[in-house]
Amino acid sequence: MLVAVTPFLFSLVRLEYSNIATVGELYLSVIGIILLPNIINIEDIDNIKEVIYIRKTPHIITTILRLAIIIIFMFILISSIILLAKLQQGNFPFWEISLGSFISSLYFGIIGITVVNITKSLPSGYLIPFAYYAFEFSTRGKYTKDFFVFSLLNESFIEKGNLLLIIGGLLIVNLVIIYKRS
Amino acid sequence: MFLSLVFKEIKQQFKSIIFYLFIGIIVLFYITQFLGDVDTEGVSKPIPPDEYREAYGREPYYGYIEEEDPEDQMNLMYSRLIRDANHGSVLQHGFLMSKIVNLSKGQKEFMLDAADKIIKEGHDISNFEADVSYKEFQIIIEKVDERLGGGTYFSEEYNDQVYRQEKTYDQALKDFETMISKDTLSNAYGRLYADYMGIGAGFFPIFLAAFILTRDKRYRMSELIYSREISSYKYVFAKYIALVISVSLVYLAIVTHATILVSSVVKANGYTVDYLAFYKYTFGWLVPTLLFTISMGFVISIIFGNGIVAIPIQFGLWISSLLPLVGDYGLSKFVLRFNTVGSYDIFKESINDILINRILYTVLAIILVGVAGRILSYRRGRQDGIIKKRFKRKSKEDSRTPSLQS
Amino acid sequence: MNIEIKGLTKNYGNKTALDNVDLKIDKGMFGLLGPNGAGKTTLMRILTTLVQKTEGDINIQGIDISKKRKIRQMIGYLPQDFAVYPTLTVYEAMDYLALLSNIAPKSKRKKLILDLLEKVNLEDHLKTKVKALSGGMKRRLGIAQALINNPSLLIVDEPTAGLDPEERIRFRNLLRDFSEDRIVILSTHIVEDVEFTCEDLAILKEGQILYKGKSRDLIKQAEGYIWTANLDRKRLNDIRKNHHIISTVSEGDLIKTRFLSDGTPIEESKAVSPSIEDAYMKLVKGV
């Protein structure tokens, strides 16, 4: 729903790199924070987990599936908006912006997931990514340098690679935790 | 008894993980934002231009001062109009960001026409004399902003970026003296502190507040609680006050650190210290923001039955309250900004607005909590949720297999 | 001390959970029996002010159910899925719930809590976290918290589900003790719970009262309808088609079967005296 509102919030016409970077990095990345942390927690409600864990399909498989679906969904959402801007005479490299924003979004989301997994507190899983977001926003990469999340604002894509490494690492850590737990 | 309840809730806060995460974030914010800005080597008295050039090898910069004089404003704006029109683009402020917009032919012409209205053709530009009254001028400029789509420097909101001059050494010195004598450095830094910490206070507490009332539902304790005697208002207010106190304690600890730090710097430079300055600003400036944010968390979570909704709503409100960096103390701002050290004159002018704003938000916060209590009271007697679900399930079963078993 | 319910109806859209229920409940233990989905829990939740009635009148000690605050002062509720914040200890949970029942000052609360916990045999677990309690202990805590405000009406919803036989008996006795000076409504689908403790009961099915009155009268109603026979498997299957089987017990090659019948069903069968469970089954199956 939030995504649908985007075209109305910002005029997506004739955008230059710096503008679309802002939309992607600052706004669309929030999608990751909202969508991802939730899915880990589902089984803890009403103790469904005791029923789920003993079923034939290993829980880890369903988690991976669920994650995959949401992540694909996120990518589609984000790139659609970027596509919309591109189609309206946007002047920027489509894939760079799309992937870049997607990676930022995924990054925040995976952090949220990790927090929920460790603390078992869903609110914390929202708080930390948002705080990270605010931190990066206000310090503009001063402390995170090569891992600056909003690197597209500086027209730089290299950092995204580093972020991907962290995302990958965290994914593995989380899946291991979930696997051990079930 | 009410106090016992409040005390228990406070204890509960201090036992929760997210509370400590919250503390961590606020402290981090404090360190990176405020402490970074405090000049611990010495308070900077403006240096005379020659010394400046010698020391830094460039022209001195003493900051900006607002241009109040109508004639000067018109002059500045006129130059701006011409410059932007010839350059072919303007800066346009949007919701979260600003972008450079290329002007169409029609827009450029409109701007040049407007400029012509201000000074009729043929006039000597070096000796600026407007051909219109100040009021007419304002209308002309507003129309320009409209024509350009709003959010430009020509609008009311952003024209302060145009109406300013660089301070001269004398002006800078004068400001500094005012700051030392009438304002005191403690107060000047106190406002900056309240500015930075206030930002955090306008958003992060929502993560604590939005999940408190829904906790009962999550832990399935609502039946036990709602069937008890306690009034919904007492119940909600106890939780509210407890959270406010818990969070305030955190801010109190931080502000004490800040006071000690800044006071020692100020004293070391030989100026007077106002030990209460930071506390004044924390309670007068910052706490109403806190009260409001927390009350929003309560009320939104009880209306929607879940806490997550409150986060994007508060996020939106928060972003819209963060700009401009100084000066807007209207009623729509629940976070008050003052991102500068000193500027005592601006502060003094706005003090009434500030006071009204803070009182308003405090009252609003309390009303919102009351509303939350009222909604809880209503919902308490209408816990149909689970039963309705059972019914849907049962009717599905009935239509499928008629059975002998009950 | 009594409860008067007249014409109570509760609808959810076009589904009826309770249909024109009339009941009068006096001091002591009152059993509310019925299959799952009969409307028992709905009735309980209306009595505890958690759900609004659609139609009808309810008076508890002469006070109308709409006066929620006053009613809540008088009632104690042990819900079906009793749960408390898991990180609290037994004492903390009681203290918190007592506060929510406006019990002050602290000394009074403390005394009450210790008394009650002793009565339910949890006095050695004051510092135990709620999440570490066994099912039976949790239920006992549930009873204790329901009694903290000394209610005139104690409502207990499916209290023994999930308890082992020993705990179940202990629990029933506890309830019996607590019914001395108050009304205790015990809502359950386990007939045993009611059998030995309640003189008066009502049976609810699909929102309607099938029976209300003394348990001994209920038994009388079923006389002549309960039969036993020792059958082989084939015979059993034949019987099963036409009659409701109450229970079966293997006895060597044959199966001792207990079943409902209006009139002599088969030659080998013998009429027996009904128990409450039998009578309940008869009513519920509509024999």
Side-chain angles (χ1 to χ4, degrees), chain B residues 215-404:
Chain B
R215 207 161 158 240
D216 303 334
K217 204 166 53 150
R218 271 182 291 140
Y219 286 107
R220 293 187 316 213
M221 210 173 154
S222 12
E223 286 180 303
L224 277 186
I225 297 176
Y226 296 167
S227 60
R228 281 185 142 69
E229 198 183 314
I230 193 166
S231 114
S232 310
Y233 292 103
K234 238 194 206 166
Y235 183 64
V236 173
F237 266 104
K239 287 192 188 273
Y240 179 71
I241 292 176
L243 185 56
V244 168
I245 293 179
S246 307
V247 175
S248 300
L249 284 175
V250 177
Y251 279 98
L252 206 62
I254 296 177
V255 85
T256 305
H257 179 268
T259 303
I260 296 175
L261 183 68
V262 173
S263 302
S264 62
V265 171
V266 170
K267 230 158 114 192
N269 279 277
Y271 300 115
T272 47
V273 178
D274 179 2
Y275 287 104
L276 289 180
F278 276 70
Y279 293 99
K280 265 193 310 198
Y281 285 103
T282 296
F283 284 102
W285 191 290
L286 206 158
V287 166
T289 304
L290 256 181
L291 290 175
F292 178 72
T293 308
I294 296 179
S295 71
M296 282 297 275
F298 271 51
V299 103
I300 297 177
S301 63
I302 195 101
I303 289 177
F304 291 96
N306 84 65
I308 300 178
V309 185
I311 298 175
I313 295 180
Q314 187 69 15
F315 186 71
L317 281 176
W318 185 53
I319 296 287
S320 66
S321 195
L322 289 183
L323 292 170
L325 294 174
V326 190
D328 187 355
Y329 304 113
L331 296 179
S332 67
K333 298 254 172 244
F334 71 99
V335 180
L336 293 185
R337 303 302 314 276
F338 204 92
N339 195 270
T340 158
V341 181
S343 298
Y344 183 62
D345 41 332
I346 301 183
F347 178 64
K348 223 168 76 167
E349 269 177 17
S350 323
I351 196 149
N352 277 325
D353 288 339
I354 295 175
L355 227 69
I356 296 177
N357 176 296
R358 297 290 81 184
I359 293 178
L360 175 88
Y361 273 100
T362 305
V363 170
L364 183 61
I366 297 179
I367 292 178
L368 285 178
V369 180
V371 169
R374 180 68 185 85
I375 296 179
L376 183 70
S377 179
Y378 180 83
R379 291 265 174 87
R380 221 169 144 175
R382 288 167 180 75
Q383 294 281 299
D384 302 294
I386 303 180
I387 300 188
K388 275 195 189 142
K389 277 195 212 149
R390 273 201 215 154
F391 260 93
K392 286 200 190 135
R393 236 186 290 142
K394 186 168 188 284
S395 61
K396 273 200 204 141
E397 280 173 26
D398 284 343
S399 57
R400 259 192 277 134
T401 42
S403 55
L404 210 54

Side-chain angles (χ1 to χ4, degrees), chain A residues 39-175:
Chain A
I39 59 181
I40 295 298
N41 227 14
I42 296 184
E43 279 90 19
D44 284 339
I45 306 171
D46 286 338
N47 247 341
I48 306 178
K49 62 172 169 239
E50 284 174 15
V51 177
I52 302 280
Y53 285 0
I54 62 177
R55 286 269 178 267
K56 211 164 163 219
T57 317
H59 179 59
I60 191 77
I61 304 287
T62 28
T63 306
I64 294 178
L65 270 174
R66 207 182 282 150
L67 260 175
I69 295 175
I70 295 265
I71 290 178
I72 294 175
F73 180 60
M74 262 170 60
F75 181 72
I76 295 177
L77 271 183
I78 293 176
S79 40
S80 320
I81 296 290
I82 308 291
L83 187 65
L84 199 61
K86 182 76 179 173
L87 290 175
Q88 293 183 68
Q89 300 154 41
N91 184 14
F92 54 83
F94 173 73
W95 285 110
E96 195 173 308
I97 300 286
S98 282
L99 280 175
S101 309
F102 172 66
I103 292 177
S104 299
S105 193
L106 192 57
Y107 183 67
F108 284 127
I110 199 85
I111 290 180
I113 289 181
T114 314
V115 174
V116 173
N117 243 343
I118 299 178
T119 64
K120 296 249 130 262
S121 156
L122 185 60
S124 303
Y126 287 106
L127 174 62
I128 299 296
F130 264 109
Y132 196 157
Y133 178 106
F135 181 74
E136 289 284 73
F137 183 79
S138 48
T139 59
R140 299 283 160 157
K142 189 167 114 187
Y143 296 89
T144 44
K145 300 198 173 74
D146 287 334
F147 291 88
F148 180 44
V149 182
F150 301 131
S151 62
L152 288 185
L153 294 179
N154 296 330
E155 309 212 356
S156 167
F157 194 81
I158 304 178
E159 291 84 339
K160 301 298 178 189
N162 294 333
L163 290 183
L164 264 178
L165 283 175
I166 299 185
I167 292 174
L170 283 179
L171 254 177
I172 295 176
V173 167
N174 278 295
L175 290 177

Side-chain angles (χ1 to χ4, degrees), chain B residues 1 8-9 216 219 221 223-224 226-230 239 380-384 387-388 391 395 406, chain C residues 12 15 17 35 45 49-52 69 72-73 79 82-83 85-86 95-97 100-102 145:
Chain B
M1 193 222 78
K8 270 201 192 294
E9 297 285 350
D216 303 334
Y219 286 107
M221 210 173 154
E223 286 180 303
L224 277 186
Y226 296 167
S227 60
R228 281 185 142 69
E229 198 183 314
I230 193 166
K239 287 192 188 273
R380 221 169 144 175
R382 288 167 180 75
Q383 294 281 299
D384 302 294
I387 300 188
K388 275 195 189 142
F391 260 93
S395 61
S406 59
Chain C
Y12 287 104
K15 305 267 180 296
R45 288 166 130 234
T49 72
L50 292 172
V51 165
Q52 302 271 81
R69 189 89 187 267
R72 286 173 185 151
Q73 279 173 353
F82 167 71
Y85 302 143
D95 202 27
Y96 183 62
L97 290 167
L100 294 184
S101 291
N102 284 339
Q145 64 81 29

Side-chain angles (χ1 to χ4, degrees), chain B residues 21 26 33 82 93 118 183 194 209 226 235 321 347 355 368:
Chain B
L21 288 176
I26 298 293
Q33 302 284 17
I82 305 280
H93 294 90
I118 300 176
D183 195 14
Y226 296 167
Y235 183 64
S321 195
F347 178 64
L355 227 69
L368 285 178

Side-chain angles (χ1 to χ4, degrees), chain C residues 11-275:
Chain C
N11 295 325
Y12 287 104
N14 51 5
K15 305 267 180 296
T16 306
L18 290 172
D19 192 0
N20 223 327
V21 169
D22 288 325
L23 273 181
K24 217 160 151 206
I25 305 175
D26 295 307
K27 189 168 86 155
M29 289 270 285
F30 185 86
L32 186 63
L33 278 175
N36 284 322
K40 304 191 304 296
T41 301
T42 307
L43 179 57
M44 299 298 97
R45 288 166 130 234
I46 293 179
L47 284 176
T48 50
T49 72
L50 292 172
V51 165
Q52 302 271 81
K53 60 180 160 64
T54 310
E55 267 175 45
D57 291 311
I58 304 181
N59 278 301
I60 303 182
Q61 310 268 75
I63 302 176
D64 186 73
I65 197 82
S66 61
K67 304 219 172 351
K68 297 206 185 98
R69 189 89 187 267
K70 282 218 171 76
I71 297 281
R72 286 173 185 151
Q73 279 173 353
M74 294 192 300
I75 59 174
Y77 182 35
L78 173 53
Q80 193 172 355
D81 46 347
F82 167 71
V84 176
Y85 302 143
T87 51
L88 293 178
T89 64
V90 166
Y91 187 85
E92 283 170 349
M94 288 292 284
D95 202 27
Y96 183 62
L97 290 167
L99 265 176
L100 294 184
S101 291
N102 284 339
I103 300 180
K106 189 166 179 183
S107 48
K108 181 173 172 196
R109 271 201 308 276
K110 191 163 177 189
K111 187 170 180 310
L112 258 171
I113 294 172
L114 292 175
D115 269 347
L116 277 169
L117 288 178
E118 206 188 305
K119 284 208 188 103
V120 302
N121 246 305
L122 281 175
E123 73 271 31
D124 293 329
H125 296 274
L126 292 180
K127 296 235 167 99
T128 315
K129 291 229 163 110
V130 169
K131 63 183 170 191
L133 294 176
S134 72
M137 291 159 99
K138 260 201 203 123
R139 289 300 160 84
R140 282 186 270 147
L141 175 60
I143 277 288
Q145 64 81 29
L147 289 166
I148 197 95
N149 59 335
N150 199 15
S152 340
L153 168 59
L154 176 63
I155 297 178
V156 186
D157 198 352
E158 307 277 5
T160 65
L163 297 185
D164 66 49
E166 199 189 316
E167 284 170 335
R168 238 186 268 154
I169 295 175
R170 224 189 293 162
F171 203 80
R172 279 181 222 138
N173 290 332
L174 252 182
L175 286 178
R176 197 59 293 161
D177 291 337
F178 289 133
S179 69
E180 299 277 303
D181 294 301
R182 51 174 68 87
I183 301 176
V184 177
I185 300 182
L186 176 50
S187 162
T188 179
H189 67 281
I190 300 176
V191 186
E192 251 181 35
D193 284 344
V194 159
E195 195 155 3
F196 303 113
T197 53
C198 302
E199 236 187 69
D200 297 280
L201 53 84
I203 299 181
L204 204 59
K205 183 181 174 188
E206 287 173 9
Q208 294 181 329
I209 300 269
L210 287 183
Y211 175 82
K212 56 183 173 186
K214 302 262 175 247
S215 38
R216 57 170 183 268
D217 293 335
L218 177 65
I219 293 178
K220 278 209 197 97
Q221 270 195 16
E223 270 170 16
Y225 286 87
I226 314 298
W227 304 84
T228 60
N230 286 346
L231 309 164
D232 61 38
R233 217 164 276 280
K234 186 177 173 299
R235 275 303 248 146
L236 176 56
N237 282 330
D238 289 337
I239 296 276
R240 207 188 277 278
K241 289 189 195 125
N242 300 316
H243 297 96
H244 289 282
I245 309 282
I246 297 176
S247 63
T248 54
V249 180
S250 263
E251 281 195 354
D253 289 334
L254 297 174
I255 303 171
K256 182 170 181 176
T257 312
R258 195 182 179 96
F259 54 95
L260 297 165
S261 181
D262 186 3
T264 315
I266 47 175
E267 293 151 26
E268 315 94 297
S269 53
K270 183 167 73 166
V272 285
S273 306
S275 66

Side-chain angles (χ1 to χ4, degrees), chain B residues 50-65:
Chain B
D50 310 318
E51 280 180 46
Y52 195 106
R53 283 188 206 103
E54 243 198 80
Y56 298 103
R58 55 168 196 259
E59 285 304 299
Y61 168 70
Y62 298 112
Y64 280 107
I65 194 171

